[in-house]
Amino acid sequence: MTVKYIESSKLPTPWGIFEMHGFEDLEHDKEHVVLSMGDITGDEPVLARIHSECLTGDALFSLRCDCGAQLQAAMHRIAQEGRGVIFYLRQEGRGIGLLNKIKAYRLQDKGADTVEANEQLGFGADMRDYTILQPMIDHLGIKELKLMTNNPRKVKALQELGVNVTERLSHQTGRNPHNAKYLSTKKGKLGHLLDHPEDGE
Ligand SMILES: Nc1nc2c(ncn2[C@@H]2O[C@H](COP(=O)(O)OP(=O)(O)OP(=O)(O)O)[C@@H](O)[C@H]2O)c(=O)[nH]1
Ligand SMILES: [Zn+2]
């Protein structure tokens, strides 16, 4: 197995006290973190967020995307329910890494959209690989997920890997004037299910 469980500790947050589990991903040389609350084993599907690292949005308050708001909303929803899990996967920039994301942002500053920018740099629109999830899910004893996401391709990718997603829960938040075009592109080119009227049909 290339993903190894290391240790767990408490993580107090503004929304409640989570349990934080650290995993080492030997294949990709990454350290992943899972936050859980309540008993996530058992037959009842677990409220879950599979969140891809976004240093700019999650930690630096960037308004270019909706990641930070989605992360906070997920923590809030889980705390309200008292049971759930957040996989914080170190797949920065949809898998291209932070420095390439900055290059992509530079191209977007000059007019490209988020997909065109990746392509101009020689990457696919979405380079993420979710195979790392299975060992973490198995270790934590999770059977089924109800997933907070607007991305149906994420649900499909997980189901193809054998991860049981029973339900997709819409997770729309964090829209602002700086990310409106970005969200429209996610809807138009990446198939995200967003229902703001400005995002078109
Ligand atoms: N390459 C690239 N990555 C970006 C850009 N904006 C955000 N990201 C990354 O996109 C990832 C989040 O993916 P999103 O497409 O926003 O959302 P998702 O995870 O597919 O879907 P949701 O579950 O609905 O959030 C994070 O790793 C961000 O760092 C961008 O313009 N270019
Ligand atoms: Zn982001």
Side-chain angles (χ1 to χ4, degrees):
M1 186 181 295
T2 57
V3 177
K4 205 169 114 199
Y5 169 70
I6 303 298
E7 189 52 286
S8 299
S9 74
K10 301 234 169 295
L11 188 75
T13 74
W15 302 278
I17 301 176
F18 286 81
E19 197 71 19
M20 177 167 63
H21 315 274
F23 292 85
E24 189 177 8
D25 177 351
L26 299 166
E27 187 182 340
H28 305 96
D29 194 22
K30 295 278 182 194
E31 296 170 330
H32 304 291
V33 159
V34 180
L35 301 183
S36 69
M37 190 177 278
D39 180 5
I40 54 174
T41 63
D43 290 337
E44 183 70 18
V46 180
L47 180 61
R49 167 89 185 138
I50 293 171
H51 193 85
S52 302
E53 178 178 18
C54 178
L55 182 87
T56 46
D58 298 338
L60 301 178
F61 315 103
S62 169
L63 298 177
R64 289 192 82 126
C65 59
D66 52 348
C67 303
Q70 285 185 311
L71 182 59
Q72 291 195 22
M75 293 173 85
H76 191 191
R77 271 171 98 164
I78 288 170
Q80 278 179 328
E81 197 158 310
R83 180 174 183 259
V85 65
I86 297 176
F87 294 85
Y88 192 88
L89 305 181
R90 313 296 297 281
Q91 308 171 308
E92 174 61 68
R94 271 184 244 115
I96 67 173
L98 178 61
L99 300 183
N100 284 320
K101 189 174 81 170
I102 295 174
K103 290 182 187 172
Y105 277 167
R106 175 73 181 151
L107 293 170
Q108 290 172 57
D109 288 343
K110 293 194 273 184
D113 69 31
T114 179
V115 171
E116 290 162 352
N118 262 35
E119 288 169 354
Q120 285 175 28
L121 292 169
F123 298 112
D126 191 342
M127 306 287 287
R128 286 174 289 185
D129 170 8
Y130 296 105
T131 52
I132 47 174
L133 272 171
Q134 194 68 66
M136 294 192 257
I137 288 174
D138 290 347
H139 175 86
L140 295 165
I142 299 169
K143 292 196 180 126
E144 294 183 327
L145 303 178
K146 39 182 186 171
L147 193 64
M148 294 178 265
T149 181
N150 306 316
N151 183 353
R153 287 182 311 116
K154 190 187 263 184
V155 175
K156 192 160 171 271
L158 296 175
Q159 285 168 336
E160 282 170 3
L161 287 173
V163 176
N164 297 318
V165 180
T166 57
E167 199 181 341
R168 183 191 72 85
L169 303 174
S170 177
H171 199 56
Q172 301 182 54
T173 180
R175 188 188 180 87
N176 71 70
H178 301 281
N179 67 18
K181 182 187 170 205
Y182 166 76
L183 293 178
S184 297
T185 304
K186 287 213 288 191
K187 179 170 183 175
K189 289 194 174 178
L190 297 171
H192 285 234
L193 300 168
L194 302 171
D195 52 24
H196 192 280
E198 277 177 31
D199 293 331
E201 293 308 310

